[in-house]
Amino acid sequence: EHELHITNAEAGTLAGAFMGGYMVASPIFAVFVIRFRPFVVLAFGLALWLLAAAAAAFSQGFTLLLIARIVSGIGEASFQCLAPPFIDDYAPPERKALWLAAFFMAVPVGTALGYLIGGLTASMWTWRAAFVLEGILMIPLLLTCLFIPHQLKKSSKSQSTTPWNSLVSVSKEPFYVLSVMGQAAYTYVLGGFAFFGPTYLVNALQMDLALADGLFGGVTAVMGVGATLLGGYMFDKLAARRGTANDLQLALEMCFYVGATSFPVFVFAFFTDSQVVFWSCVVVAELIIFMLTPAINAAIMWSVDPDLRPFAMGLSIGVIHLLGDVPSPIITGAFLDWIHDGEKVMTLLTAWSVWMVLHLFVGALYAPRGISRRDSRSEKMFNDDDTALEEPLLSG
């Protein structure tokens, strides 16, 4: 900030610029995969990411840095809409949810490593070195993507479609809409919680701000990794017990039960004067809520036709952030300015979890009625006799 004379407002804009590029580009990349091999599309996204890193490393002012942030968000979007369907196709059936969990776990791990490595390179050399290092590390991965031949599996009656037709198709799928809206609701809660949680601790529980920030970041990072993997492991075990694969009903049921359990724990945290009780509730609530990640993303993919999975994932990313962690800090901050009561505002924020539980409850309740219709469509995709492709990348 000092070297480039960037104001606090401009620094905040840089954070929003990444999310803006990310949200807009996700459905676009999902359309690209209709015409190009998935890993070619990923390579293109990585190339954009590489250009963004170079632009950031050599920027001399706010404008170029802003463009770099937007382009880096666009590059990351290629992974988020294409990688989950690819894992869905090629992961061993008995460990599919765990593989999905490992992918989504990479977000908190990458964020933590970014802070760590970025801080080290900045202290040893300069902040620009972090972007140079990032670009160098991207090159082998980009080249590897160009030589991976695997395609996403398609239905036996796959037809070309337009973005508008894809949008109409996924919007007509009730389980897709319910899953996305449920995930948007808990993303809204987590977004406001992460932004204003430390401030609440300072004002209500007299905790040091630096300590509160560190604990919130640490708990979220650890739970984001451990609980996401635990959720994937549990889903695979439940699916094995049922003897099913790509079980939409199981995914919806797990989302509801896990989501419903987290709500009262979150609310109780803001009715205590004890820091120990508060942090115990936060740890338990985040443990539960992050366990949702593999199941709810599986539900999003399995609730639409196989050909539409990349588009469904891309669209869900935009909707989840647009209705979740983007407006949440703004609305929560406005309530704080209006009410001037942190406990009431944080209780109202966590009460939004009811919206999540409602959507997931409806999905779990009505799933059995839609399973036969969903299974009849899925057979076009997952029947080995009709759609046999390459063996899984890893066996076992």
Side-chain angles (χ1 to χ4, degrees), residues 11 15 18 33 38 78 87 89 101 145 152 156 169 173 196 205 214 244 248 261 271 309 344 359 373:
F18 174 87
V33 80
S78 63
I87 293 171
D89 285 345
C145 287
L152 290 177
S156 58
S169 296
E173 295 290 349
F196 287 103
L205 301 182
T244 59
L248 175 60
T261 306
F271 285 92
R309 289 173 303 163
K344 288 182 179 178
H359 280 90
R373 181 169 62 90

Side-chain angles (χ1 to χ4, degrees), residues 162-378:
T162 64
W164 174 252
N165 288 337
S166 298
L167 176 62
V168 171
S169 296
V170 299
S171 299
K172 289 180 178 178
E173 295 290 349
F175 298 130
Y176 174 79
V177 174
L178 290 167
S179 299
V180 171
M181 296 304 292
Q183 190 172 16
Y186 91 68
T187 304
Y188 180 96
V189 174
L190 289 178
F193 193 65
F195 199 88
F196 287 103
T199 303
Y200 168 81
L201 283 172
V202 171
N203 296 330
L205 301 182
Q206 289 75 50
M207 180 175 283
D208 177 71
L209 179 59
L211 178 60
D213 280 334
L215 284 173
F216 261 112
V219 168
T220 301
V222 172
M223 291 300 106
V225 173
T228 302
L229 289 174
L230 179 61
Y233 175 80
M234 288 181 59
F235 187 93
D236 285 333
K237 289 298 182 182
L238 290 170
R241 185 172 298 178
R242 286 191 178 190
T244 59
N246 292 49
D247 192 333
L248 175 60
Q249 183 175 349
L250 174 61
L252 292 167
E253 289 175 352
M254 183 172 176
C255 287
F256 166 65
Y257 290 121
V258 172
T261 306
S262 68
F263 168 65
V265 182
F266 255 131
V267 172
F268 184 75
F270 296 99
F271 285 92
T272 179
D273 295 326
S274 168
Q275 292 184 13
V276 174
V277 175
F278 177 87
W279 282 111
S280 298
C281 289
V282 169
V283 169
V284 172
E286 290 204 358
L287 170 67
I288 296 170
I289 205 73
F290 277 113
M291 286 173 60
L292 272 175
T293 304
I296 203 161
N297 282 283
I300 288 171
M301 284 192 294
W302 298 342
S303 60
V304 301
D305 285 333
D307 295 347
L308 294 174
R309 289 173 303 163
F311 185 87
M313 290 300 300
L315 180 64
S316 71
I317 291 167
V319 173
I320 287 163
H321 290 294
L322 188 63
L323 300 180
D325 51 0
V326 170
S328 177
I330 300 171
I331 296 172
T332 304
F335 269 106
L336 277 172
D337 291 338
W338 179 33
I339 299 176
H340 300 291
D341 188 327
E343 184 175 300
K344 288 182 179 178
V345 171
M346 296 307 287
T347 303
L348 285 172
L349 174 66
T350 53
W352 195 249
S353 300
V354 173
W355 191 237
M356 169 194 72
V357 174
L358 252 167
H359 280 90
L360 299 179
F361 170 71
V362 173
L365 181 65
Y366 288 99
R369 300 185 183 183
I371 291 300
S372 59
R373 181 169 62 90
R374 171 60 194 164
D375 286 347
S376 66
R377 291 201 312 253
S378 296

Side-chain angles (χ1 to χ4, degrees), residues 110-165:
T111 301
L113 288 176
Y115 280 115
L116 176 63
I117 297 173
L120 287 174
T121 53
S123 62
M124 294 173 62
W125 298 293
T126 172
W127 61 270
R128 299 178 187 276
F131 292 103
V132 174
L133 179 62
E134 178 186 29
I136 293 173
L137 293 174
M138 288 296 162
I139 294 174
L141 184 58
L142 189 159
L143 295 175
T144 301
C145 287
L146 293 174
F147 295 98
I148 297 179
H150 293 74
Q151 296 275 10
L152 290 177
K153 294 181 181 180
K154 298 181 181 294
S155 64
S156 58
K157 295 184 180 180
S158 178
Q159 297 178 352
S160 60
T161 183
T162 64
W164 174 252
N165 288 337

